[in-house]
Amino acid sequence: MMIWFIVFFIVSQIMIEKNWLPKKILELRLLPLCLASIGIILLAAIIGIIIGQPVFVVGTMTILCGSLISWRYRTFGVGVSEKK
């Protein structure tokens, strides 16, 4: 399972950097993205319990949401710091 998490982390970083995700997700501001991530992780917990694989499902969605939040946080202040 650890190998899956590492591979999925690398794939999620590639998806984000290549803009392979829908524009609606990529254009979310930081706060709505954090709230959506919390909702997705809670939904993943429910689905994981139902199918009997909570660690796998929640871990996978946490990696994806964490990657999205970190990408948004990195790009959040770029325009602010350049306006001097």
Side-chain angles (χ1 to χ4, degrees):
M1 189 177 334
M2 187 62 99
I3 293 174
W4 163 253
F5 288 150
I6 293 170
V7 169
F8 187 75
F9 174 73
I10 293 169
V11 169
S12 68
Q13 291 295 319
I14 292 170
M15 286 185 337
I16 292 168
E17 295 298 327
K18 299 277 186 179
N19 293 328
W20 290 348
L21 295 173
K23 295 289 182 190
K24 188 173 184 177
I25 293 174
L26 295 176
E27 292 174 354
L28 282 176
R29 295 187 51 88
L30 188 57
L31 181 62
L33 184 61
C34 290
L35 295 175
S37 295
I38 291 169
I40 289 170
I41 293 170
L42 289 174
L43 182 65
I46 294 168
I47 292 171
I49 290 170
I50 291 171
I51 66 171
Q53 294 288 328
V55 174
F56 180 74
V57 176
V58 174
T60 302
M61 287 299 102
T62 302
I63 289 171
L64 180 62
C65 293
S67 296
L68 276 170
I69 291 171
S70 67
W71 170 77
R72 175 53 65 195
Y73 189 70
R74 280 194 317 259
T75 61
F76 182 70
V78 171
V80 176
S81 63
E82 292 177 357
K83 294 180 182 177
K84 287 188 177 184

